[in-house]
Amino acid sequence: MVECRYCGEQISTESDDATDPDYLDHIAEEHIHDLSDIDEKKLRREWDGSVKEAKSPDYRFSAAQLGAATTIIVLFLGFFFVGYIM
Ligand SMILES: [Zn+2]
């Protein structure tokens, strides 16, 4: 059992240290954007350097896409509405 240093959750792990793969999986899944340098190094060792890929901003990218799509819809509806009342 290891207590997560980011959210305080008790992670069930085989060993009691913070290099346990189950714990590293948890911080990678839940806290990848908040990791300290030390934890990132641990992950890099565990994952053989693929931390950068895990950190790649897929989710930020889709958030940006969603924002752009919303803007376009709002603009479109705005033009439509203005055209309707004129
Ligand atoms: Zn956590």
Side-chain angles (χ1 to χ4, degrees):
M1 205 81 128
V2 178
E3 187 181 330
C4 175
R5 56 181 294 187
Y6 298 98
C7 68
E9 196 181 316
Q10 299 287 334
I11 316 298
S12 58
T13 51
E14 279 180 28
S15 63
D16 279 344
D17 65 41
T19 55
D20 191 283
D22 289 331
Y23 176 69
L24 294 179
D25 278 354
H26 168 81
I27 61 173
E29 278 169 25
E30 305 289 331
H31 312 294
I32 191 79
H33 297 291
D34 309 315
L35 292 183
S36 67
D37 289 349
I38 295 163
D39 284 337
E40 206 175 310
K41 254 175 228 152
K42 280 187 216 153
L43 269 186
R44 202 170 288 151
R45 210 172 303 142
E46 177 75 14
W47 289 0
D48 205 17
S50 61
V51 171
K52 260 198 191 120
E53 271 169 48
K55 255 190 157 172
S56 76
D58 275 350
Y59 125 98
R60 281 182 205 168
F61 183 62
S62 57
Q65 277 184 323
L66 193 68
T70 308
T71 306
I72 288 165
I73 289 167
V74 167
L75 282 177
F76 180 77
L77 287 178
F79 280 125
F80 186 75
F81 184 67
V82 168
Y84 181 75
I85 59 170
M86 295 288 261

PDB file of all heavy atoms in Angstrom, residues 5-44:
ATOM      1  N   ARG A   5       0.993  10.744  -3.354  1.00  0.00           N
ATOM      2  CA  ARG A   5       1.407  12.058  -2.846  1.00  0.00           C
ATOM      3  C   ARG A   5       0.666  13.195  -3.527  1.00  0.00           C
ATOM      4  O   ARG A   5       0.767  14.336  -3.107  1.00  0.00           O
ATOM      5  CB  ARG A   5       2.920  12.224  -2.998  1.00  0.00           C
ATOM      6  CG  ARG A   5       3.387  12.036  -4.418  1.00  0.00           C
ATOM      7  CD  ARG A   5       4.871  12.194  -4.512  1.00  0.00           C
ATOM      8  NE  ARG A   5       5.272  13.566  -4.205  1.00  0.00           N
ATOM      9  CZ  ARG A   5       6.501  14.018  -4.335  1.00  0.00           C
ATOM     10  NH1 ARG A   5       7.443  13.204  -4.739  1.00  0.00           N
ATOM     11  NH2 ARG A   5       6.795  15.264  -4.066  1.00  0.00           N
ATOM     12  N   TYR A   6      -0.067  12.881  -4.570  1.00  0.00           N
ATOM     13  CA  TYR A   6      -0.797  13.937  -5.272  1.00  0.00           C
ATOM     14  C   TYR A   6      -2.247  14.032  -4.816  1.00  0.00           C
ATOM     15  O   TYR A   6      -2.767  15.115  -4.622  1.00  0.00           O
ATOM     16  CB  TYR A   6      -0.738  13.715  -6.786  1.00  0.00           C
ATOM     17  CG  TYR A   6       0.683  13.764  -7.299  1.00  0.00           C
ATOM     18  CD1 TYR A   6       1.391  12.595  -7.507  1.00  0.00           C
ATOM     19  CD2 TYR A   6       1.302  14.991  -7.520  1.00  0.00           C
ATOM     20  CE1 TYR A   6       2.701  12.641  -7.948  1.00  0.00           C
ATOM     21  CE2 TYR A   6       2.606  15.047  -7.956  1.00  0.00           C
ATOM     22  CZ  TYR A   6       3.306  13.869  -8.176  1.00  0.00           C
ATOM     23  OH  TYR A   6       4.601  13.911  -8.602  1.00  0.00           O
ATOM     24  N   CYS A   7      -2.927  12.899  -4.678  1.00  0.00           N
ATOM     25  CA  CYS A   7      -4.345  12.950  -4.301  1.00  0.00           C
ATOM     26  C   CYS A   7      -4.625  12.277  -2.970  1.00  0.00           C
ATOM     27  O   CYS A   7      -5.748  12.321  -2.490  1.00  0.00           O
ATOM     28  CB  CYS A   7      -5.215  12.343  -5.407  1.00  0.00           C
ATOM     29  SG  CYS A   7      -4.993  10.571  -5.619  1.00  0.00           S
ATOM     30  N   GLY A   8      -3.615  11.648  -2.357  1.00  0.00           N
ATOM     31  CA  GLY A   8      -3.805  11.036  -1.050  1.00  0.00           C
ATOM     32  C   GLY A   8      -4.488   9.681  -1.082  1.00  0.00           C
ATOM     33  O   GLY A   8      -4.725   9.074  -0.048  1.00  0.00           O
ATOM     34  N   GLU A   9      -4.809   9.209  -2.278  1.00  0.00           N
ATOM     35  CA  GLU A   9      -5.470   7.920  -2.395  1.00  0.00           C
ATOM     36  C   GLU A   9      -4.526   6.800  -1.960  1.00  0.00           C
ATOM     37  O   GLU A   9      -3.321   6.875  -2.194  1.00  0.00           O
ATOM     38  CB  GLU A   9      -5.882   7.708  -3.852  1.00  0.00           C
ATOM     39  CG  GLU A   9      -6.901   6.603  -4.044  1.00  0.00           C
ATOM     40  CD  GLU A   9      -7.244   6.422  -5.513  1.00  0.00           C
ATOM     41  OE1 GLU A   9      -7.442   7.455  -6.197  1.00  0.00           O
ATOM     42  OE2 GLU A   9      -7.276   5.287  -5.974  1.00  0.00           O
ATOM     43  N   GLN A  10      -5.079   5.758  -1.325  1.00  0.00           N
ATOM     44  CA  GLN A  10      -4.278   4.590  -0.960  1.00  0.00           C
ATOM     45  C   GLN A  10      -4.249   3.645  -2.151  1.00  0.00           C
ATOM     46  O   GLN A  10      -5.280   3.117  -2.539  1.00  0.00           O
ATOM     47  CB  GLN A  10      -4.884   3.878   0.251  1.00  0.00           C
ATOM     48  CG  GLN A  10      -4.965   4.719   1.502  1.00  0.00           C
ATOM     49  CD  GLN A  10      -3.617   4.939   2.163  1.00  0.00           C
ATOM     50  OE1 GLN A  10      -2.690   4.138   2.018  1.00  0.00           O
ATOM     51  NE2 GLN A  10      -3.498   6.040   2.886  1.00  0.00           N
ATOM     52  N   ILE A  11      -3.078   3.465  -2.722  1.00  0.00           N
ATOM     53  CA  ILE A  11      -2.953   2.594  -3.883  1.00  0.00           C
ATOM     54  C   ILE A  11      -2.529   1.219  -3.396  1.00  0.00           C
ATOM     55  O   ILE A  11      -1.554   1.103  -2.672  1.00  0.00           O
ATOM     56  CB  ILE A  11      -1.884   3.138  -4.861  1.00  0.00           C
ATOM     57  CG1 ILE A  11      -2.011   4.642  -5.054  1.00  0.00           C
ATOM     58  CG2 ILE A  11      -1.942   2.380  -6.180  1.00  0.00           C
ATOM     59  CD1 ILE A  11      -3.307   5.092  -5.647  1.00  0.00           C
ATOM     60  N   SER A  12      -3.258   0.186  -3.795  1.00  0.00           N
ATOM     61  CA  SER A  12      -2.843  -1.148  -3.368  1.00  0.00           C
ATOM     62  C   SER A  12      -1.704  -1.628  -4.250  1.00  0.00           C
ATOM     63  O   SER A  12      -1.853  -1.771  -5.461  1.00  0.00           O
ATOM     64  CB  SER A  12      -4.020  -2.122  -3.391  1.00  0.00           C
ATOM     65  OG  SER A  12      -4.569  -2.192  -4.674  1.00  0.00           O
ATOM     66  N   THR A  13      -0.562  -1.820  -3.626  1.00  0.00           N
ATOM     67  CA  THR A  13       0.647  -2.209  -4.341  1.00  0.00           C
ATOM     68  C   THR A  13       1.265  -3.407  -3.630  1.00  0.00           C
ATOM     69  O   THR A  13       0.957  -3.656  -2.461  1.00  0.00           O
ATOM     70  CB  THR A  13       1.662  -1.052  -4.328  1.00  0.00           C
ATOM     71  OG1 THR A  13       1.828  -0.616  -2.988  1.00  0.00           O
ATOM     72  CG2 THR A  13       1.179   0.110  -5.180  1.00  0.00           C
ATOM     73  N   GLU A  14       2.128  -4.104  -4.324  1.00  0.00           N
ATOM     74  CA  GLU A  14       2.759  -5.257  -3.698  1.00  0.00           C
ATOM     75  C   GLU A  14       3.793  -4.849  -2.665  1.00  0.00           C
ATOM     76  O   GLU A  14       3.918  -5.449  -1.619  1.00  0.00           O
ATOM     77  CB  GLU A  14       3.409  -6.137  -4.769  1.00  0.00           C
ATOM     78  CG  GLU A  14       2.375  -7.033  -5.439  1.00  0.00           C
ATOM     79  CD  GLU A  14       2.984  -7.917  -6.487  1.00  0.00           C
ATOM     80  OE1 GLU A  14       4.175  -8.264  -6.381  1.00  0.00           O
ATOM     81  OE2 GLU A  14       2.244  -8.272  -7.437  1.00  0.00           O
ATOM     82  N   SER A  15       4.532  -3.809  -2.972  1.00  0.00           N
ATOM     83  CA  SER A  15       5.525  -3.341  -2.017  1.00  0.00           C
ATOM     84  C   SER A  15       5.048  -2.017  -1.438  1.00  0.00           C
ATOM     85  O   SER A  15       4.053  -1.459  -1.870  1.00  0.00           O
ATOM     86  CB  SER A  15       6.873  -3.163  -2.706  1.00  0.00           C
ATOM     87  OG  SER A  15       6.751  -2.156  -3.690  1.00  0.00           O
ATOM     88  N   ASP A  16       5.774  -1.522  -0.437  1.00  0.00           N
ATOM     89  CA  ASP A  16       5.366  -0.291   0.227  1.00  0.00           C
ATOM     90  C   ASP A  16       6.140   0.922  -0.257  1.00  0.00           C
ATOM     91  O   ASP A  16       6.122   1.958   0.379  1.00  0.00           O
ATOM     92  CB  ASP A  16       5.589  -0.420   1.752  1.00  0.00           C
ATOM     93  CG  ASP A  16       4.446  -1.188   2.388  1.00  0.00           C
ATOM     94  OD1 ASP A  16       3.398  -1.332   1.738  1.00  0.00           O
ATOM     95  OD2 ASP A  16       4.620  -1.642   3.534  1.00  0.00           O
ATOM     96  N   ASP A  17       6.843   0.784  -1.354  1.00  0.00           N
ATOM     97  CA  ASP A  17       7.586   1.966  -1.754  1.00  0.00           C
ATOM     98  C   ASP A  17       7.022   2.599  -3.015  1.00  0.00           C
ATOM     99  O   ASP A  17       6.275   1.985  -3.779  1.00  0.00           O
ATOM    100  CB  ASP A  17       9.091   1.687  -1.857  1.00  0.00           C
ATOM    101  CG  ASP A  17       9.426   0.696  -2.944  1.00  0.00           C
ATOM    102  OD1 ASP A  17       8.816   0.801  -4.025  1.00  0.00           O
ATOM    103  OD2 ASP A  17      10.277  -0.171  -2.689  1.00  0.00           O
ATOM    104  N   ALA A  18       7.401   3.840  -3.187  1.00  0.00           N
ATOM    105  CA  ALA A  18       6.803   4.663  -4.237  1.00  0.00           C
ATOM    106  C   ALA A  18       7.401   4.398  -5.611  1.00  0.00           C
ATOM    107  O   ALA A  18       7.190   5.173  -6.538  1.00  0.00           O
ATOM    108  CB  ALA A  18       6.952   6.130  -3.870  1.00  0.00           C
ATOM    109  N   THR A  19       8.149   3.295  -5.725  1.00  0.00           N
ATOM    110  CA  THR A  19       8.613   2.925  -7.060  1.00  0.00           C
ATOM    111  C   THR A  19       7.849   1.704  -7.556  1.00  0.00           C
ATOM    112  O   THR A  19       8.168   1.146  -8.597  1.00  0.00           O
ATOM    113  CB  THR A  19      10.126   2.591  -7.059  1.00  0.00           C
ATOM    114  OG1 THR A  19      10.365   1.579  -6.085  1.00  0.00           O
ATOM    115  CG2 THR A  19      10.957   3.817  -6.746  1.00  0.00           C
ATOM    116  N   ASP A  20       6.841   1.296  -6.793  1.00  0.00           N
ATOM    117  CA  ASP A  20       6.039   0.145  -7.191  1.00  0.00           C
ATOM    118  C   ASP A  20       5.310   0.428  -8.508  1.00  0.00           C
ATOM    119  O   ASP A  20       4.740   1.499  -8.689  1.00  0.00           O
ATOM    120  CB  ASP A  20       5.020  -0.160  -6.090  1.00  0.00           C
ATOM    121  CG  ASP A  20       4.343  -1.501  -6.329  1.00  0.00           C
ATOM    122  OD1 ASP A  20       3.455  -1.553  -7.200  1.00  0.00           O
ATOM    123  OD2 ASP A  20       4.746  -2.469  -5.677  1.00  0.00           O
ATOM    124  N   PRO A  21       5.346  -0.530  -9.434  1.00  0.00           N
ATOM    125  CA  PRO A  21       4.714  -0.305 -10.748  1.00  0.00           C
ATOM    126  C   PRO A  21       3.238   0.103 -10.663  1.00  0.00           C
ATOM    127  O   PRO A  21       2.780   0.914 -11.461  1.00  0.00           O
ATOM    128  CB  PRO A  21       4.854  -1.663 -11.447  1.00  0.00           C
ATOM    129  CG  PRO A  21       6.008  -2.315 -10.791  1.00  0.00           C
ATOM    130  CD  PRO A  21       6.042  -1.822  -9.382  1.00  0.00           C
ATOM    131  N   ASP A  22       2.507  -0.465  -9.700  1.00  0.00           N
ATOM    132  CA  ASP A  22       1.095  -0.107  -9.586  1.00  0.00           C
ATOM    133  C   ASP A  22       0.922   1.360  -9.210  1.00  0.00           C
ATOM    134  O   ASP A  22       0.023   2.046  -9.696  1.00  0.00           O
ATOM    135  CB  ASP A  22       0.401  -0.988  -8.534  1.00  0.00           C
ATOM    136  CG  ASP A  22       0.235  -2.415  -9.022  1.00  0.00           C
ATOM    137  OD1 ASP A  22       0.122  -2.601 -10.251  1.00  0.00           O
ATOM    138  OD2 ASP A  22       0.253  -3.331  -8.191  1.00  0.00           O
ATOM    139  N   TYR A  23       1.804   1.811  -8.325  1.00  0.00           N
ATOM    140  CA  TYR A  23       1.755   3.220  -7.937  1.00  0.00           C
ATOM    141  C   TYR A  23       2.145   4.113  -9.114  1.00  0.00           C
ATOM    142  O   TYR A  23       1.509   5.127  -9.378  1.00  0.00           O
ATOM    143  CB  TYR A  23       2.684   3.462  -6.739  1.00  0.00           C
ATOM    144  CG  TYR A  23       2.767   4.915  -6.345  1.00  0.00           C
ATOM    145  CD1 TYR A  23       1.673   5.554  -5.772  1.00  0.00           C
ATOM    146  CD2 TYR A  23       3.933   5.651  -6.560  1.00  0.00           C
ATOM    147  CE1 TYR A  23       1.735   6.893  -5.424  1.00  0.00           C
ATOM    148  CE2 TYR A  23       4.010   6.986  -6.212  1.00  0.00           C
ATOM    149  CZ  TYR A  23       2.906   7.604  -5.643  1.00  0.00           C
ATOM    150  OH  TYR A  23       2.982   8.931  -5.314  1.00  0.00           O
ATOM    151  N   LEU A  24       3.183   3.705  -9.817  1.00  0.00           N
ATOM    152  CA  LEU A  24       3.616   4.488 -10.983  1.00  0.00           C
ATOM    153  C   LEU A  24       2.511   4.539 -12.036  1.00  0.00           C
ATOM    154  O   LEU A  24       2.281   5.581 -12.655  1.00  0.00           O
ATOM    155  CB  LEU A  24       4.912   3.908 -11.564  1.00  0.00           C
ATOM    156  CG  LEU A  24       6.132   4.016 -10.649  1.00  0.00           C
ATOM    157  CD1 LEU A  24       7.346   3.386 -11.303  1.00  0.00           C
ATOM    158  CD2 LEU A  24       6.422   5.452 -10.268  1.00  0.00           C
ATOM    159  N   ASP A  25       1.802   3.418 -12.207  1.00  0.00           N
ATOM    160  CA  ASP A  25       0.667   3.424 -13.134  1.00  0.00           C
ATOM    161  C   ASP A  25      -0.366   4.458 -12.707  1.00  0.00           C
ATOM    162  O   ASP A  25      -0.907   5.191 -13.525  1.00  0.00           O
ATOM    163  CB  ASP A  25      -0.016   2.049 -13.162  1.00  0.00           C
ATOM    164  CG  ASP A  25       0.706   1.086 -14.077  1.00  0.00           C
ATOM    165  OD1 ASP A  25       1.642   1.531 -14.762  1.00  0.00           O
ATOM    166  OD2 ASP A  25       0.341  -0.094 -14.094  1.00  0.00           O
ATOM    167  N   HIS A  26      -0.622   4.487 -11.411  1.00  0.00           N
ATOM    168  CA  HIS A  26      -1.621   5.430 -10.912  1.00  0.00           C
ATOM    169  C   HIS A  26      -1.203   6.875 -11.186  1.00  0.00           C
ATOM    170  O   HIS A  26      -1.984   7.659 -11.726  1.00  0.00           O
ATOM    171  CB  HIS A  26      -1.856   5.222  -9.409  1.00  0.00           C
ATOM    172  CG  HIS A  26      -2.647   6.337  -8.792  1.00  0.00           C
ATOM    173  ND1 HIS A  26      -4.016   6.422  -8.877  1.00  0.00           N
ATOM    174  CD2 HIS A  26      -2.249   7.449  -8.126  1.00  0.00           C
ATOM    175  CE1 HIS A  26      -4.424   7.530  -8.280  1.00  0.00           C
ATOM    176  NE2 HIS A  26      -3.375   8.172  -7.815  1.00  0.00           N
ATOM    177  N   ILE A  27       0.017   7.225 -10.801  1.00  0.00           N
ATOM    178  CA  ILE A  27       0.409   8.630 -11.006  1.00  0.00           C
ATOM    179  C   ILE A  27       0.489   8.965 -12.489  1.00  0.00           C
ATOM    180  O   ILE A  27       0.233  10.098 -12.879  1.00  0.00           O
ATOM    181  CB  ILE A  27       1.720   9.005 -10.258  1.00  0.00           C
ATOM    182  CG1 ILE A  27       2.894   8.174 -10.725  1.00  0.00           C
ATOM    183  CG2 ILE A  27       1.527   8.920  -8.759  1.00  0.00           C
ATOM    184  CD1 ILE A  27       4.220   8.640 -10.118  1.00  0.00           C
ATOM    185  N   ALA A  28       0.828   7.952 -13.310  1.00  0.00           N
ATOM    186  CA  ALA A  28       0.876   8.212 -14.747  1.00  0.00           C
ATOM    187  C   ALA A  28      -0.523   8.469 -15.298  1.00  0.00           C
ATOM    188  O   ALA A  28      -0.736   9.350 -16.124  1.00  0.00           O
ATOM    189  CB  ALA A  28       1.517   7.037 -15.468  1.00  0.00           C
ATOM    190  N   GLU A  29      -1.489   7.693 -14.806  1.00  0.00           N
ATOM    191  CA  GLU A  29      -2.852   7.843 -15.317  1.00  0.00           C
ATOM    192  C   GLU A  29      -3.539   9.086 -14.780  1.00  0.00           C
ATOM    193  O   GLU A  29      -4.255   9.779 -15.503  1.00  0.00           O
ATOM    194  CB  GLU A  29      -3.685   6.616 -14.948  1.00  0.00           C
ATOM    195  CG  GLU A  29      -3.473   5.465 -15.908  1.00  0.00           C
ATOM    196  CD  GLU A  29      -4.103   4.176 -15.381  1.00  0.00           C
ATOM    197  OE1 GLU A  29      -5.048   4.258 -14.578  1.00  0.00           O
ATOM    198  OE2 GLU A  29      -3.624   3.100 -15.774  1.00  0.00           O
ATOM    199  N   GLU A  30      -3.320   9.359 -13.496  1.00  0.00           N
ATOM    200  CA  GLU A  30      -4.116  10.408 -12.861  1.00  0.00           C
ATOM    201  C   GLU A  30      -3.401  11.758 -12.794  1.00  0.00           C
ATOM    202  O   GLU A  30      -4.049  12.788 -12.735  1.00  0.00           O
ATOM    203  CB  GLU A  30      -4.484   9.990 -11.422  1.00  0.00           C
ATOM    204  CG  GLU A  30      -5.180   8.662 -11.316  1.00  0.00           C
ATOM    205  CD  GLU A  30      -6.607   8.702 -11.864  1.00  0.00           C
ATOM    206  OE1 GLU A  30      -7.233   9.776 -11.802  1.00  0.00           O
ATOM    207  OE2 GLU A  30      -7.070   7.670 -12.365  1.00  0.00           O
ATOM    208  N   HIS A  31      -2.065  11.716 -12.760  1.00  0.00           N
ATOM    209  CA  HIS A  31      -1.356  12.963 -12.440  1.00  0.00           C
ATOM    210  C   HIS A  31      -0.221  13.267 -13.403  1.00  0.00           C
ATOM    211  O   HIS A  31       0.728  13.944 -13.035  1.00  0.00           O
ATOM    212  CB  HIS A  31      -0.797  12.881 -11.013  1.00  0.00           C
ATOM    213  CG  HIS A  31      -1.796  12.403  -9.997  1.00  0.00           C
ATOM    214  ND1 HIS A  31      -2.910  13.117  -9.659  1.00  0.00           N
ATOM    215  CD2 HIS A  31      -1.857  11.255  -9.276  1.00  0.00           C
ATOM    216  CE1 HIS A  31      -3.617  12.437  -8.755  1.00  0.00           C
ATOM    217  NE2 HIS A  31      -2.995  11.304  -8.516  1.00  0.00           N
ATOM    218  N   ILE A  32      -0.344  12.776 -14.628  1.00  0.00           N
ATOM    219  CA  ILE A  32       0.776  12.900 -15.555  1.00  0.00           C
ATOM    220  C   ILE A  32       1.211  14.353 -15.759  1.00  0.00           C
ATOM    221  O   ILE A  32       2.377  14.636 -15.992  1.00  0.00           O
ATOM    222  CB  ILE A  32       0.456  12.194 -16.900  1.00  0.00           C
ATOM    223  CG1 ILE A  32       1.684  12.062 -17.779  1.00  0.00           C
ATOM    224  CG2 ILE A  32      -0.639  12.939 -17.674  1.00  0.00           C
ATOM    225  CD1 ILE A  32       2.602  10.963 -17.403  1.00  0.00           C
ATOM    226  N   HIS A  33       0.279  15.282 -15.653  1.00  0.00           N
ATOM    227  CA  HIS A  33       0.640  16.680 -15.897  1.00  0.00           C
ATOM    228  C   HIS A  33       1.127  17.399 -14.638  1.00  0.00           C
ATOM    229  O   HIS A  33       1.500  18.549 -14.698  1.00  0.00           O
ATOM    230  CB  HIS A  33      -0.537  17.432 -16.507  1.00  0.00           C
ATOM    231  CG  HIS A  33      -0.926  16.898 -17.849  1.00  0.00           C
ATOM    232  ND1 HIS A  33      -0.129  17.048 -18.972  1.00  0.00           N
ATOM    233  CD2 HIS A  33      -2.004  16.180 -18.249  1.00  0.00           C
ATOM    234  CE1 HIS A  33      -0.720  16.452 -19.989  1.00  0.00           C
ATOM    235  NE2 HIS A  33      -1.852  15.912 -19.593  1.00  0.00           N
ATOM    236  N   ASP A  34       1.082  16.706 -13.499  1.00  0.00           N
ATOM    237  CA  ASP A  34       1.507  17.343 -12.245  1.00  0.00           C
ATOM    238  C   ASP A  34       2.755  16.715 -11.663  1.00  0.00           C
ATOM    239  O   ASP A  34       3.179  17.095 -10.584  1.00  0.00           O
ATOM    240  CB  ASP A  34       0.397  17.203 -11.182  1.00  0.00           C
ATOM    241  CG  ASP A  34      -0.940  17.657 -11.704  1.00  0.00           C
ATOM    242  OD1 ASP A  34      -0.967  18.719 -12.345  1.00  0.00           O
ATOM    243  OD2 ASP A  34      -1.927  16.946 -11.489  1.00  0.00           O
ATOM    244  N   LEU A  35       3.341  15.743 -12.359  1.00  0.00           N
ATOM    245  CA  LEU A  35       4.433  14.973 -11.773  1.00  0.00           C
ATOM    246  C   LEU A  35       5.631  15.833 -11.419  1.00  0.00           C
ATOM    247  O   LEU A  35       5.994  16.739 -12.171  1.00  0.00           O
ATOM    248  CB  LEU A  35       4.892  13.881 -12.742  1.00  0.00           C
ATOM    249  CG  LEU A  35       3.918  12.748 -13.006  1.00  0.00           C
ATOM    250  CD1 LEU A  35       4.565  11.730 -13.924  1.00  0.00           C
ATOM    251  CD2 LEU A  35       3.477  12.109 -11.718  1.00  0.00           C
ATOM    252  N   SER A  36       6.217  15.526 -10.265  1.00  0.00           N
ATOM    253  CA  SER A  36       7.480  16.168  -9.910  1.00  0.00           C
ATOM    254  C   SER A  36       8.586  15.551 -10.769  1.00  0.00           C
ATOM    255  O   SER A  36       8.414  14.491 -11.351  1.00  0.00           O
ATOM    256  CB  SER A  36       7.783  15.935  -8.428  1.00  0.00           C
ATOM    257  OG  SER A  36       8.030  14.557  -8.216  1.00  0.00           O
ATOM    258  N   ASP A  37       9.724  16.246 -10.830  1.00  0.00           N
ATOM    259  CA  ASP A  37      10.850  15.735 -11.620  1.00  0.00           C
ATOM    260  C   ASP A  37      11.253  14.333 -11.176  1.00  0.00           C
ATOM    261  O   ASP A  37      11.562  13.479 -11.998  1.00  0.00           O
ATOM    262  CB  ASP A  37      12.063  16.663 -11.472  1.00  0.00           C
ATOM    263  CG  ASP A  37      11.814  17.980 -12.193  1.00  0.00           C
ATOM    264  OD1 ASP A  37      10.819  18.056 -12.952  1.00  0.00           O
ATOM    265  OD2 ASP A  37      12.592  18.908 -11.998  1.00  0.00           O
ATOM    266  N   ILE A  38      11.226  14.135  -9.849  1.00  0.00           N
ATOM    267  CA  ILE A  38      11.656  12.839  -9.321  1.00  0.00           C
ATOM    268  C   ILE A  38      10.718  11.733  -9.787  1.00  0.00           C
ATOM    269  O   ILE A  38      11.154  10.686 -10.253  1.00  0.00           O
ATOM    270  CB  ILE A  38      11.679  12.884  -7.775  1.00  0.00           C
ATOM    271  CG1 ILE A  38      12.749  13.899  -7.323  1.00  0.00           C
ATOM    272  CG2 ILE A  38      11.978  11.511  -7.195  1.00  0.00           C
ATOM    273  CD1 ILE A  38      12.604  14.337  -5.887  1.00  0.00           C
ATOM    274  N   ASP A  39       9.415  11.986  -9.683  1.00  0.00           N
ATOM    275  CA  ASP A  39       8.463  10.956 -10.109  1.00  0.00           C
ATOM    276  C   ASP A  39       8.543  10.729 -11.614  1.00  0.00           C
ATOM    277  O   ASP A  39       8.380   9.617 -12.094  1.00  0.00           O
ATOM    278  CB  ASP A  39       7.041  11.360  -9.714  1.00  0.00           C
ATOM    279  CG  ASP A  39       6.809  11.166  -8.235  1.00  0.00           C
ATOM    280  OD1 ASP A  39       7.538  10.347  -7.639  1.00  0.00           O
ATOM    281  OD2 ASP A  39       5.930  11.819  -7.680  1.00  0.00           O
ATOM    282  N   GLU A  40       8.781  11.805 -12.327  1.00  0.00           N
ATOM    283  CA  GLU A  40       8.906  11.648 -13.772  1.00  0.00           C
ATOM    284  C   GLU A  40      10.111  10.774 -14.111  1.00  0.00           C
ATOM    285  O   GLU A  40      10.054   9.936 -15.008  1.00  0.00           O
ATOM    286  CB  GLU A  40       9.061  13.034 -14.413  1.00  0.00           C
ATOM    287  CG  GLU A  40       8.583  13.026 -15.847  1.00  0.00           C
ATOM    288  CD  GLU A  40       8.620  14.410 -16.462  1.00  0.00           C
ATOM    289  OE1 GLU A  40       8.092  15.345 -15.832  1.00  0.00           O
ATOM    290  OE2 GLU A  40       9.201  14.543 -17.551  1.00  0.00           O
ATOM    291  N   LYS A  41      11.197  10.966 -13.352  1.00  0.00           N
ATOM    292  CA  LYS A  41      12.384  10.132 -13.572  1.00  0.00           C
ATOM    293  C   LYS A  41      12.093   8.669 -13.287  1.00  0.00           C
ATOM    294  O   LYS A  41      12.513   7.783 -14.012  1.00  0.00           O
ATOM    295  CB  LYS A  41      13.531  10.623 -12.681  1.00  0.00           C
ATOM    296  CG  LYS A  41      14.587  11.362 -13.474  1.00  0.00           C
ATOM    297  CD  LYS A  41      15.648  11.948 -12.578  1.00  0.00           C
ATOM    298  CE  LYS A  41      15.905  13.394 -12.949  1.00  0.00           C
ATOM    299  NZ  LYS A  41      16.385  14.205 -11.824  1.00  0.00           N
ATOM    300  N   LYS A  42      11.348   8.445 -12.195  1.00  0.00           N
ATOM    301  CA  LYS A  42      10.974   7.059 -11.853  1.00  0.00           C
ATOM    302  C   LYS A  42      10.173   6.440 -12.988  1.00  0.00           C
ATOM    303  O   LYS A  42      10.394   5.292 -13.369  1.00  0.00           O
ATOM    304  CB  LYS A  42      10.125   7.049 -10.580  1.00  0.00           C
ATOM    305  CG  LYS A  42      10.897   7.173  -9.306  1.00  0.00           C
ATOM    306  CD  LYS A  42       9.943   6.976  -8.148  1.00  0.00           C
ATOM    307  CE  LYS A  42      10.283   7.872  -6.965  1.00  0.00           C
ATOM    308  NZ  LYS A  42       9.098   8.167  -6.144  1.00  0.00           N
ATOM    309  N   LEU A  43       9.234   7.198 -13.494  1.00  0.00           N
ATOM    310  CA  LEU A  43       8.410   6.687 -14.589  1.00  0.00           C
ATOM    311  C   LEU A  43       9.244   6.401 -15.819  1.00  0.00           C
ATOM    312  O   LEU A  43       9.051   5.405 -16.510  1.00  0.00           O
ATOM    313  CB  LEU A  43       7.345   7.720 -14.968  1.00  0.00           C
ATOM    314  CG  LEU A  43       6.000   7.618 -14.265  1.00  0.00           C
ATOM    315  CD1 LEU A  43       5.045   8.617 -14.876  1.00  0.00           C
ATOM    316  CD2 LEU A  43       5.424   6.232 -14.360  1.00  0.00           C
ATOM    317  N   ARG A  44      10.160   7.316 -16.081  1.00  0.00           N
ATOM    318  CA  ARG A  44      10.997   7.142 -17.266  1.00  0.00           C
ATOM    319  C   ARG A  44      11.799   5.850 -17.155  1.00  0.00           C
ATOM    320  O   ARG A  44      11.949   5.106 -18.117  1.00  0.00           O
ATOM    321  CB  ARG A  44      11.934   8.349 -17.398  1.00  0.00           C
ATOM    322  CG  ARG A  44      12.434   8.527 -18.804  1.00  0.00           C
ATOM    323  CD  ARG A  44      13.154   9.851 -18.941  1.00  0.00           C
ATOM    324  NE  ARG A  44      12.253  10.976 -18.902  1.00  0.00           N
ATOM    325  CZ  ARG A  44      12.586  12.194 -18.455  1.00  0.00           C
ATOM    326  NH1 ARG A  44      13.777  12.416 -17.976  1.00  0.00           N
ATOM    327  NH2 ARG A  44      11.724  13.175 -18.480  1.00  0.00           N
TER     328      ARG A  44
END
